[in-house]
Every structure is written in C-alpha cells, then in structure tokens.
Amino acid sequence: MNRNLSSRFPLSQLAREKGIENLNALLGFVQQLPYGRNTNRADLDLVLHEKKGTCSSKHAFVKKIAEENGWHDIELIIGIYKMNHVNTPNIGSTIIDNGLDFIPEAHCYLKIGEERLDITTPNSSFENLSDDVLEEHKIKAAQVNTFKVELHQNFIKNWIAENEMKNSFEEIWAIRERCIEKLSGR
Amino acid sequence: MKNVFFIFLCYAFIFSCNTSNKTAVETPTSKDIVIPDKKDSSISDLDDDPVFYLHRESCRGPCPGYTYTIFKSGKVDYFGQRNVDRLNNHIAEMDMATLTALKKAANDIGYKNMEDTYNNPNMADIPRWTVKFEEKSIKFTENLAPKELTEFCKKMDATIDALKWEKIDE
C-alpha cells in the first residue's frame, strides 16, 4: 500500500518540495541517488541537498521521514553479516588472502512489515546477504551517525576474543578498510 | 468376587500403561515443532530517543561547524565539521543528573513556547544554529534569537565540551 507524505515536519516538507509525494516515490528517489558519503553524517537533509548517500544516510533518511509521518512499521536495521568474496565479489580475494573466511561487516537496511529492503544502490538486494546475517539491531534514524560504527567495532573485538584469533582488532579493521576501498573503487 | 476384582485391576494397570505409551507417541515430532524466523526473533531493539540535538553551520570564515545529539540513555554523538578541536565522529557518555539539569534549564527559559525560527534567510553567510529539544526545533542566528536561547545553547556546548570523548574512526 502506498502512503502519502502528510507530515509538516521539516524533512517531509523538504521531500515534498522536491516532488516526492508518497512512500514509493521516496524509496525510488533514494535508491537512484549515487552512492557517496555526505559532508555531515548527522545531517540527514544532506541526502537531498547533496543528492547522494551511503547505506546509513539513505536508509536513515527514509526512516526519519517514516518517523515524521507515523509509519511505525518501517524500521531501520543494522545487520552484521559475514562479508566474503561470494556475497561481495568486488572485494576480490582480499579476505581469503589474509587467511580468513569472512569479516563481520555492518550494513543498514529497512524492514517494512516483514520485508527487508536495501535501497543503497539500484542494484542492491537484501537477498544477497540474507543467508549471512549474524545479528540484527533496530535503531532510530538519529542513532545512525556513530552508533553503527561503534556497534560494528565492538562486534569485531568480541569476535576476535571469542575465536581466540591471532589477528589484532587493528589488523582486521585494516583488512576491512582495504575491502571498502575496493568496493568504492578508490 | 476376588477374581473379578483382580481382573479389573489388571485391566486398569494395562490401560494406564497404554495411556502413558499413547502420551509418549503424541509428543511432537521435529516436523511439528515450529521454528521461529531467526532473523525476526533475534532483532534486538536498540532504540534510543534523542533528547537534544544541536547543529551549528559553519561559514566561509573561521566559525565552527558541528553537530551533536544527546540521547535519552546519556549517549552523546558528535560530528565536528570545521574549525573545531574534535573533527569527525566522536562519542561520549553524559550522566543522568547532567541531562536532567539540561532539560530543566531548557524548560526554565520557556524553550517550548519560543518561536520556530529567529532567522533572516536573506542574510548571506550568517551561520545558523538549529537546536531541538524533544520534538520542538528552533532555527536561529545569534543576532536575532532571544538571549536566553543563545545562552542556553552555549551552556549546553560547554557541558558537552567537558565530557570525555572517544574518536570513532570509520
């Protein structure tokens, strides 16, 4: 069911000024925006002004508008999943070259009713990750700024300790950074 | 009569054994057990509502640009954009007494009865502040806002500056 943006709160008003009148239009608009970090992660308006966003800012932007409009069935989820060369082919052999099967990675997406939706890019699909999700956490839009990074780093620290791994946190994080560089084509 | 009573007892015993066997057979098999959707049941709720939010726009000059959110749990998120000591993402914890004192200070200045804007959009390169307390958001420039509001925001700035900050690297 499509829903109209009726809230008079700032982000919904801003979206309507850009011609976004309902939920479907909002999801389509955000999904086609280019991938890229905004200059201030805490300012969700920038997804519209800078016409780009990451998984965090794009999904938090939709969640914020959902909060403004009282769409309580739209949830913002941080999922920790096993990132490997199968579900994320663009990282190449970075992880296996370091003697690992996977690295826990954090990803944001939406849960609308029972459906999980990843609108990070036009090609994104939650199905690519669904079998590799280790844990999921529901958060508010305002928490996306630093909370995701903090949660992710704590998860990796616990994972290293529980598996009595030889690698330090800094080493694992550096491998993860190389994967992200490959993903963003840097 | 004794024989009749003995036969009755035997039937009663056999019947009770059959009943217990029947109960065992009716124990649900693995096919009957409903396994809940792991992903749904395991979603943890880490919702934390923002209480205060402050965003200070930077300008072409040396004015500082930063954003922070103080959550109900006492967690504070900070993003330093320009001309500040703490650049990028930082986190800190605020104790409940300090958060309660900030809420009281906001109520004492009549925050929720103030206008939504004290702002002249035609004035170029005047850095704007956006402050939010619970659901009420106010956008202002220092020269147009009530003194109580600017003093409150500066007090909140000083309060968060005194926290112990940890940098969060992406």
Side-chain angles (χ1 to χ4, degrees):
Chain A
M1 188 182 72
N2 208 354
R3 305 168 222 195
N4 291 328
L5 270 70
S6 56
S7 165
R8 297 181 65 190
F9 283 104
L11 214 52
S12 299
Q13 276 192 340
L14 198 60
R16 278 203 304 273
E17 285 166 18
K18 301 278 180 188
I20 301 165
E21 297 287 344
N22 55 52
L23 177 59
N24 284 352
L26 175 67
L27 295 172
F29 175 85
V30 172
Q31 187 163 28
Q32 56 79 36
L33 290 176
Y35 182 89
R37 277 185 183 156
N38 299 108
T39 48
N40 180 351
R41 281 179 66 158
D43 185 358
L44 297 175
D45 295 13
L46 294 179
V47 173
L48 275 180
H49 294 311
E50 296 178 349
K51 295 186 175 67
K52 65 177 180 180
T54 59
C55 76
S56 302
S57 60
K58 283 186 172 193
H59 293 108
F61 174 76
V62 175
K63 171 63 179 171
K64 181 70 189 170
I65 290 182
E67 287 171 6
E68 289 184 351
N69 285 273
W71 301 335
H72 302 297
D73 60 330
I74 298 184
E75 293 170 348
L76 177 61
I77 305 286
I78 295 177
I80 305 281
Y81 72 98
K82 298 176 187 177
M83 178 168 70
N84 57 38
H85 64 283
V86 178
N87 58 29
T88 318
N90 290 345
I91 63 173
S93 59
T94 313
I95 290 176
I96 48 177
D97 286 350
N98 285 280
L100 299 166
D101 293 330
F102 68 91
I103 286 181
E105 178 58 7
H107 190 58
C108 275
Y109 43 88
L110 298 169
K111 182 168 175 278
I112 304 179
E114 292 308 308
E115 187 190 357
R116 285 162 179 77
L117 194 63
D118 183 355
I119 54 167
T120 309
T121 69
N123 299 322
S124 298
S125 167
F126 178 75
E127 291 309 308
N128 296 339
L129 313 175
S130 60
D131 290 340
D132 297 313
V133 173
L134 297 165
E135 60 179 46
E136 294 182 303
H137 305 277
K138 188 171 80 170
I139 61 164
K140 288 268 169 67
Q143 291 174 273
V144 87
N145 185 23
T146 55
F147 187 79
K148 178 180 162 227
V149 184
E150 187 191 10
L151 182 87
H152 185 195
Q153 293 189 347
N154 286 338
F155 187 95
I156 290 180
K157 285 171 188 169
N158 289 337
W159 176 66
I160 290 168
E162 281 171 10
N163 292 285
E164 298 175 351
M165 295 168 69
K166 289 175 188 166
N167 308 75
S168 66
F169 167 76
E170 287 73 21
E171 286 168 342
I172 296 287
W173 196 253
I175 299 166
R176 183 253 173 196
E177 285 293 290
R178 289 202 289 280
C179 294
I180 301 302
E181 280 175 19
K182 285 194 172 180
L183 283 177
S184 52
R186 280 182 269 168
Chain B
M1 185 64 192
K2 276 182 182 174
N3 286 343
V4 172
F5 185 65
F6 178 71
I7 291 167
F8 172 76
L9 277 179
C10 286
Y11 271 107
F13 178 71
I14 291 165
F15 183 74
S16 71
C17 290
N18 279 343
T19 305
S20 63
N21 281 344
K22 198 176 176 187
T23 304
V25 169
E26 283 183 347
T27 302
T29 64
S30 58
K31 277 171 75 177
D32 301 320
I33 297 170
V34 177
I35 300 168
D37 181 344
K38 184 171 176 281
K39 290 193 191 77
D40 279 338
S41 62
S42 64
I43 295 179
S44 69
D45 189 346
L46 299 178
D47 270 12
D48 196 359
D49 289 309
V51 180
F52 289 102
Y53 165 91
L54 190 141
H55 171 53
R56 197 168 167 187
E57 289 178 7
S58 62
C59 61
R60 292 185 196 125
C63 34
Y66 53 89
T67 308
Y68 59 82
T69 307
I70 306 171
F71 290 91
K72 197 165 71 178
S73 65
K75 191 180 276 288
V76 188
D77 271 10
Y78 178 96
F79 178 80
Q81 193 167 8
R82 281 186 69 188
N83 303 320
V84 289
D85 291 339
R86 291 183 300 273
L87 281 171
N88 296 319
N89 292 307
H90 289 72
I91 52 167
E93 294 285 338
M94 180 180 282
D95 62 71
M96 285 299 127
T98 307
L99 180 53
T100 304
L102 279 178
K103 286 188 206 171
K104 184 177 181 307
N107 287 323
D108 286 349
I109 63 163
Y111 178 94
K112 288 183 178 169
N113 296 322
M114 290 182 174
E115 302 291 326
D116 292 344
T117 56
Y118 299 98
N119 179 23
N120 182 350
N122 297 322
M123 292 170 75
D125 206 34
I126 302 287
R128 292 174 181 84
W129 300 55
T130 304
V131 59
K132 196 170 173 187
F133 170 38
E134 291 167 351
E135 291 304 315
K136 166 88 173 177
S137 181
I138 304 175
K139 196 167 252 193
F140 67 91
T141 53
E142 269 192 81
N143 57 329
L144 296 176
K147 192 175 156 208
E148 295 85 357
L149 180 63
T150 57
E151 282 180 356
F152 168 74
C153 290
K154 286 175 184 173
K155 181 186 171 186
M156 191 157 67
D157 274 0
T159 304
I160 70 128
D161 277 342
L163 299 175
K164 190 179 170 193
W165 290 97
E166 182 189 342
K167 191 168 191 294
I168 294 286
D169 289 316
E170 286 189 54

